[in-house]
Amino acid sequence: MPAPWRICCNKKSRTKNGKAEMDNMAETSEKMQMKKEITLLNGVSLIVGNMIGSGIFVSPRGVLMYSASYGLSLVIWALGGMFSLFGALCYAELGTSIVKSGGSYAYILEAFGAFVAFIRLWSSLLIIEPTTQAVIAITFANYIVQPIFPHCEPPYDAVRLIAAACICSLTFINCVNVKWGTRVQDVFTYAKVMALILVISVGLYKIGKGETENLRAPFEGSATNSGMIALALYSALFSYSGWDTLNYVTEEMQNPERNLPLSIAISMPIVTIIYLLTNIAYYVVLDMSALLTSDAVAVTFGGETLSYAKWIIPIAVAMSCYSGLNSSIIAASRLFYVGAREGHLPDSLSLIHIRCFTPVPALLFNGLMTLLYLLVEDVFLLINYYCFNYWLFVGLSIAGLIYLRYTQPHRPRPIKLNLFFPIVYCLCSLFLVIVPLYSDTINSLIGIGIALSGIPAYYLGVYLPVEKRPKCLQWLSATTTKYVQMLFYCALSDLDIDMEPRAAKSR
C-alpha cells in the first residue's frame, strides 16, 4: 500500500489499466530538490509564529520577578527586542551570503569547519529540538483539555496522547506539501496575533478610562543589583528566541536575497511592539503579586476582564503552541536534512520525496525523536540542559560572520553590516553563555556533557575515512537508505548549482 502522502501528491494521469505512470527522472529537466515555495508573507509568519510562543500568554513573569518594577521590566523588554534585532540583522547577512538551509549549523560549518558544526548538530539532535517540541506539544495538550478539567489536573495519559497526536498531525502535513505547512503557519499565526491584539485592546481601554493605578510609580522598587538585572535580561532574550527560524529554510525561499532580510525587518518590530503592549496590558489589569503567582498570566487576565469570553485565552494559547510547534518542526527537519547532506548524519535523512519534494525521512525522524521524549515524565527539566548550548552556538555563528569577513573578503554579500552589530552581539552572547553557568551551573555542565558526547560519533562517522569506518555502520547506513527510498518513495537531492559558483568566487 502506498504511503498516504504519496497518494496526496500523486497528480499524474493514469493509464487505462489503472497503473500510475512513473516519472522518468532521467528524461525530465526538473531538478531533484525542494521547491522555492516560501514567500515573503510565509517568511514573516514563520518568524513571528516561532518567536511568539506560549510564553507571552503563560509566564512572562521572569522579567518582572528579577527587575522588581513595571518600568524597569518594560525597559528590559525593549532592550531584549533591540538585541535580538542585532542578531537577526547579522543572520540576514549570513543568510544572503551563505544561501544554504540549516541556520547556525550551516554558518558554523562554513566558518569553523566540520567538527564544531557537528557538535552543534549533535546538541540539536539529542536535546534542543526534541525537548523544545515535546514541551510545546504538552503545553498545547494541557490547554486543549483544560476546559474539561477546570478544577483539577488533567489525566497524564490523555495529555501525552493529545501531544502525540499534535506532533503526528503536523509531521504529516509537512510531509505532504511545503505549502500545507506554511498555510497552517499563516492561519495560526494570524489567530494568535489577533488574540494578543484583543489583550492589548483591553489594556488600552483601561488606560483610556484612567485605570492606571499600577503604573503611577513604574520604577519604584526597581532592582539595582547587576546580577538580578542580568537575569531579567536573560529571561527577556529567551522569550525573543526564534528569530533565526527562516534561516533554516533559506533554500526554499523565493528570492532569498530580498525576502530573507525583508522578513526579518518586518517581523522583529512587530514582535517587540506586541511584547511591550501586551505586558503593559497585563500591568494595568493585574497587580504585581497576581502576576508573580499566576501559572498562566493571560488566563488570569482573561478571567478578570473578558467575562464570558474568557475561554478565548486558553484557545489562543493552544493555537500559539500549534503554530510554534509547526515552525519548529519545519526548521528542525531542514537542519537534519542539511546535516545528512553534508555527511554528518545518515544518508537516509538527506532523501526527499520525488513528487512532493519534501524531506520526508528527516521529518519522520524529527517526529519520532519528539515522540520518544514524550515518554520522559520530567521532560520540562530537560529544557534546563540546553540554555548554555543554545546561546553558545548562536554566538559562534555570528562570530563566524566576523571571521569570514577576513578570510573570505571577496565573498558576494548582498547585505553587508557594519561590524559594530556582530561585535556587540558576540559580546552580549558571551554574557548569555556566562549567565547560565553562574545561575544554573550543574544543568549547564550536563548540557556541555551532552554536546561533547558527540565526539565519538564524529570520529567514527565523519572523521575516519570511509574505508576505515566500522563495516557494520556502513552496512546499516546503506541498508537503511535503500529501504527508506523504497518505503517512502524518496531520492537523493541535487545540490543547487548556484551554490558552487558562489563558493568558487569566495575562494
Side-chain angles (χ1 to χ4, degrees):
M1 181 178 176
W5 52 82
R6 178 176 171 181
I7 295 171
C8 293
C9 298
N10 189 359
K11 298 180 181 178
K12 298 294 181 182
S13 60
R14 292 179 176 272
T15 59
K16 291 180 181 179
N17 62 4
K19 292 182 179 178
E21 294 179 357
M22 298 298 290
D23 289 342
N24 188 343
M25 300 305 293
E27 294 178 1
T28 182
S29 59
E30 193 171 32
K31 293 173 66 178
M32 179 50 61
Q33 60 183 206
M34 289 187 284
K35 302 305 174 190
K36 295 182 179 292
E37 295 186 324
I38 298 177
T39 64
L40 173 63
L41 186 61
N42 298 149
V44 172
S45 294
L46 279 168
I47 296 174
V48 173
N50 204 11
M51 289 183 71
I52 302 178
S54 61
I56 191 64
F57 292 99
V58 180
S59 57
R61 64 175 183 255
V63 178
L64 183 61
M65 180 172 64
Y66 292 118
S67 60
S69 74
Y70 291 146
L72 183 58
S73 70
L74 291 173
V75 170
I76 287 171
W77 278 108
L79 287 174
M82 188 179 302
F83 173 73
S84 299
L85 178 62
F86 277 31
L89 289 173
C90 294
Y91 264 49
E93 176 177 327
L94 286 166
T96 53
S97 59
I98 304 170
V99 191
K100 288 185 180 180
S101 297
S104 59
Y105 165 76
Y107 310 144
I108 291 172
L109 179 64
E110 188 77 18
F112 302 117
F115 176 70
V116 182
F118 181 87
I119 296 300
R120 188 263 179 268
L121 181 64
W122 185 260
S123 300
S124 291
L125 186 151
L126 276 191
I127 192 76
I128 296 176
E129 301 299 345
T131 302
T132 303
Q133 291 171 31
V135 166
I136 295 172
I138 292 168
T139 306
F140 166 84
N142 274 316
Y143 278 88
I144 285 293
V145 301
Q146 188 187 48
I148 306 172
F149 303 95
H151 304 299
C152 63
E153 278 289 317
Y156 176 88
D157 291 339
V159 169
R160 296 297 166 125
L161 285 171
I162 292 171
C166 174
I167 293 162
C168 292
S169 66
L170 285 172
T171 300
F172 173 77
I173 287 168
N174 283 287
C175 281
V176 172
N177 197 316
V178 173
K179 275 292 182 187
W180 285 22
T182 56
R183 282 171 188 159
V184 166
Q185 189 66 30
D186 292 346
V187 170
F188 281 86
T189 298
Y190 300 153
K192 69 178 169 185
V193 169
M194 291 301 295
L196 287 171
I197 288 173
L198 174 63
V199 171
I200 291 165
S201 300
V202 170
L204 294 178
Y205 173 73
K206 295 282 187 183
I207 291 172
K209 287 178 63 179
E211 299 180 19
T212 57
E213 292 83 2
N214 293 342
L215 301 179
R216 283 181 181 164
F219 289 93
E220 185 178 346
S222 295
T224 54
N225 182 284
S226 58
M228 298 297 284
I229 295 172
L231 289 171
L233 182 58
Y234 184 81
S235 297
L237 289 171
F238 202 79
S239 297
Y240 279 104
S241 61
W243 46 260
D244 56 347
T245 305
L246 203 55
N247 293 73
Y248 286 89
V249 293
T250 308
E251 294 171 33
E252 296 169 74
M253 288 196 70
Q254 297 174 2
N255 191 7
E257 286 82 3
R258 170 187 177 272
N259 288 342
L260 176 62
L262 197 53
S263 297
I264 289 169
I266 294 170
S267 303
M268 295 305 298
I270 288 175
V271 174
T272 304
I273 291 168
I274 286 176
Y275 275 3
L276 286 170
L277 293 179
T278 301
N279 278 287
I280 289 171
Y282 291 156
Y283 298 164
V284 168
V285 172
L286 304 172
D287 60 29
M288 190 171 293
S289 61
L291 281 163
L292 294 178
T293 56
S294 174
D295 290 327
V297 173
V299 174
T300 306
F301 177 94
E304 292 284 337
T305 60
L306 298 179
S307 185
Y308 294 108
K310 63 185 180 182
W311 56 268
I312 293 174
I313 300 299
I315 298 299
V317 177
M319 290 190 297
S320 181
C321 292
Y322 201 72
S323 167
L325 181 58
N326 184 60
S327 59
S328 182
I329 286 172
I330 292 172
S333 61
R334 272 54 177 187
L335 173 62
F336 299 147
Y337 162 78
V338 172
R341 194 177 64 186
E342 297 290 343
H344 289 175
L345 290 176
D347 288 340
S348 55
L349 297 181
S350 67
L351 303 172
I352 62 173
H353 195 278
I354 69 171
R355 293 189 190 276
C356 303
F357 299 101
T358 53
V360 170
L363 282 160
L364 294 176
F365 173 76
N366 175 74
L368 179 62
M369 288 292 293
T370 307
L371 290 174
L372 288 174
Y373 275 67
L374 286 182
L375 301 176
V376 180
E377 188 168 352
D378 296 327
V379 67
F380 285 82
L381 296 179
L382 298 178
I383 287 284
N384 299 324
Y385 298 156
Y386 78 73
C387 295
F388 174 90
N389 294 359
Y390 176 82
W391 292 113
L392 173 65
F393 291 120
V394 169
L396 266 179
S397 60
I398 291 179
L401 184 154
I402 302 169
Y403 180 74
L404 290 172
R405 284 283 189 93
Y406 290 99
T407 58
Q408 300 180 12
H410 303 299
R411 173 185 282 272
R413 292 179 173 85
I415 292 177
K416 192 172 183 179
L417 293 177
N418 188 300
L419 282 176
F420 168 79
F421 293 97
I423 289 172
V424 167
Y425 194 92
C426 284
L427 291 174
C428 292
S429 294
L430 185 62
F431 153 76
L432 291 171
V433 168
I434 292 171
V435 166
L437 277 175
Y438 161 76
S439 63
D440 197 6
T441 307
I442 299 299
N443 286 330
S444 297
L445 291 175
I446 292 172
I448 294 170
I450 290 170
L452 295 180
S453 70
I455 293 176
Y458 175 80
Y459 178 77
L460 292 174
V462 180
Y463 180 78
L464 284 178
V466 175
E467 61 274 8
K468 292 185 179 180
R469 293 175 192 172
K471 299 296 182 184
C472 58
L473 290 180
Q474 295 184 50
W475 175 85
L476 181 62
S477 177
T479 305
T480 304
T481 302
K482 174 185 173 181
Y483 285 104
V484 165
Q485 283 184 293
M486 295 166 61
L487 182 60
F488 300 117
Y489 207 49
C490 293
L492 289 170
S493 60
D494 299 322
L495 189 64
D496 194 335
I497 55 171
D498 293 339
M499 292 182 188
E500 295 177 10
R502 279 175 174 272
K505 285 182 183 178
S506 67
R507 287 194 292 270

